[in-house]
Amino acid sequence: MPCHPARTRREKEYAMKLGVVGLPNVGKSTLFNAITHAGAEAANYPFCTIEPNVGIVAVPDERLTKLAALYASKKVTPAVVEFVDIAGLVKGASRGEGLGNKFLSHIREVDAIVHVVRCFEDANVTHVENTVDPVRDITTINLELILADLEAVEKRQDRIRNAARGGADKAAAAEFAFLEKLYHHLEEEKPASSLAVNEEEKALLDNLFLLSAKPVIYCANISEADMGTPEEALPLVQAVKDYAAGHGAETIVVCAKTEAELAELSEEDKALFLEEFGLKESGLDKLIKASYSLLGLISYLTAGEKETRAWTIVKGTKAPQAAGKIHTDFEKGFIRAEVVDYETLLECGGLTGAREKGKVRSEGKDYVMKDGDVVLFRFNV
C-alpha cells in the first residue's frame, strides 16, 4: 500500500526552535521582526520585550517550488523554524536583574541559541555599557548563563546528596561525582558545552537542560553602511568571528535594518536588492542553513498533485523512522521506501520517467535518509 503524503494522518512534526538572545539595543528584536513578521516591539530602551515573542517562519527551499511546478501540486508545505525572541539580558540576569531569571527560563526550552551581537556604532542607539565591544557583550551574557547553570547544578546536588552518600545507590553516587566535576568546570567560567564527557556523562548532562550546554550561533549585526564590505575589513565582526571560532561556534553576519527592508519586498525585488550588494542570500537564509547544520538536521521531500512537502529529520535517521514522521502507521507497517534524489527526479520529469530510466531505488529498513531524497513509502498495517 503506497503512502500518499496528503492522506489523513497524525503528524509528528519537528520544528526547530531557536532562542534569539542578546543585550538590549543590539538589534535583536529588529532582526526577529524582520524574519518572522511577528511584530515584536523594537524600541530604544531595555526590556521593551517583556514576554517572549514566538514566530514561525518557513525554511526557504527552492526544491519545493520546482517539485510543486512539476506535479502541479495544489499545496506546498515547507519545513518550519520557530524563533523565540527572548528579552534583552543584562549583567546580573542570573540573580534576577532586569527580570533575567524569567527570560533565562525560556532559553531552557530551545534547541539552540542565536546570540545577536552589536557590531555597529550609532550615537542614536544607546548601549547599556556605553561603548560598543562585541566580545565583552558576548562574555557578559555567557557568564550569566554559566552562573544560572551553577545554581541548577547545586540544586540537583542537594536533591541526590543523601542517596549518593555512602555509595549504596551506585547510580546516585555516579551522578553526584559527575555533578561535582561539572560544577568545578562551570566555576572556572567555562560553558557546559566545553566539558569533555563520556557516553554516560553525556546522558546526565543532557538531562540537566543547562543553558550553557546549548549550541550557539553568533549573529554579528552590522550597519547599513557596512553592507557589502568584506568581513575581514570589519574589525568588530572579526572580533566576534575569532571568539566564536575559539569556542567551536559559527558566526553569521547580518544587517538587521536591511533584513527589515527585505521583509517588505517581493521575491523578485529581494533578489535584485541582494544582487546590488553582491550577496547570494539573505541573513535569514544564512541563519536557517547554519542552524540546520548546527543541529544536524536535513529534509526529505514528498511530492504529488495534492501536496509537495519537506519533512525535517535528524541526520542519520533510517527510512522507517523517517516514514513515522508522516504517520506512526507508516513506521509500524514499513515495507520499503522508493527513493530518488531531487535533481534526478527533475531531470527525468517525474517519478514515472525516473522509474523508466531505472533511477528509482527500492530501499529497506536499514537505509539512512539523505537530504533531498524524494520518497514514496510503501507500508502495510
Side-chain angles (χ1 to χ4, degrees), residues 74-215:
K74 294 176 182 176
K75 182 180 179 183
V76 178
T77 307
V80 296
V81 174
E82 185 175 325
F83 284 93
V84 182
D85 180 29
I86 298 167
L89 299 173
V90 294
K91 189 181 294 183
S94 60
R95 301 187 305 276
E97 294 292 329
L99 303 179
N101 281 330
K102 185 175 183 181
F103 302 139
L104 289 170
S105 68
H106 295 303
I107 304 175
R108 296 194 190 279
E109 302 168 7
V110 303
D111 298 307
I113 294 171
V114 177
H115 189 156
V116 182
V117 189
R118 179 170 169 172
C119 291
F120 65 89
E121 298 280 358
D122 188 337
N124 296 317
V125 181
T126 58
H127 190 290
V128 289
E129 297 287 352
N130 298 317
T131 58
V132 177
D133 183 340
V135 173
R136 177 203 59 207
D137 294 352
I138 289 171
T139 54
T140 294
I141 285 190
N142 286 352
L143 179 58
E144 294 307 319
L145 303 185
I146 289 168
L147 291 173
D149 286 345
L150 274 169
E151 185 179 345
V153 171
E154 276 187 302
K155 286 180 178 177
R156 180 61 186 166
Q157 283 178 313
D158 290 341
R159 274 199 292 271
I160 68 169
R161 192 181 305 277
N162 289 336
R165 189 173 286 134
D169 186 333
K170 291 184 178 180
E175 182 181 355
F176 195 85
F178 168 69
L179 291 173
E180 284 194 312
K181 172 183 169 181
L182 173 59
Y183 189 88
H184 292 314
H185 180 82
L186 294 169
E187 255 191 333
E188 294 175 359
E189 299 185 2
K190 297 176 182 176
S193 60
S194 66
L195 179 66
V197 293
N198 58 35
E199 195 172 326
E200 291 77 15
E201 290 173 333
K202 185 180 184 308
L204 293 171
L205 182 62
D206 290 345
N207 285 335
L208 291 168
F209 299 101
L210 298 182
L211 306 176
S212 69
K214 304 279 185 188

Side-chain angles (χ1 to χ4, degrees), residues 340-377:
V340 58
D341 69 86
Y342 156 77
E343 290 183 352
T344 300
L345 185 69
L346 284 185
E347 289 169 5
C348 296
L351 193 60
T352 301
R355 278 205 183 98
E356 290 172 353
K357 294 181 181 180
K359 299 295 185 180
V360 179
R361 309 187 311 275
S362 181
E363 302 287 0
K365 293 182 178 180
D366 291 329
Y367 176 68
V368 177
M369 302 291 292
K370 295 180 177 61
D371 187 58
D373 277 346
V374 184
V375 191
L376 181 67
F377 290 112

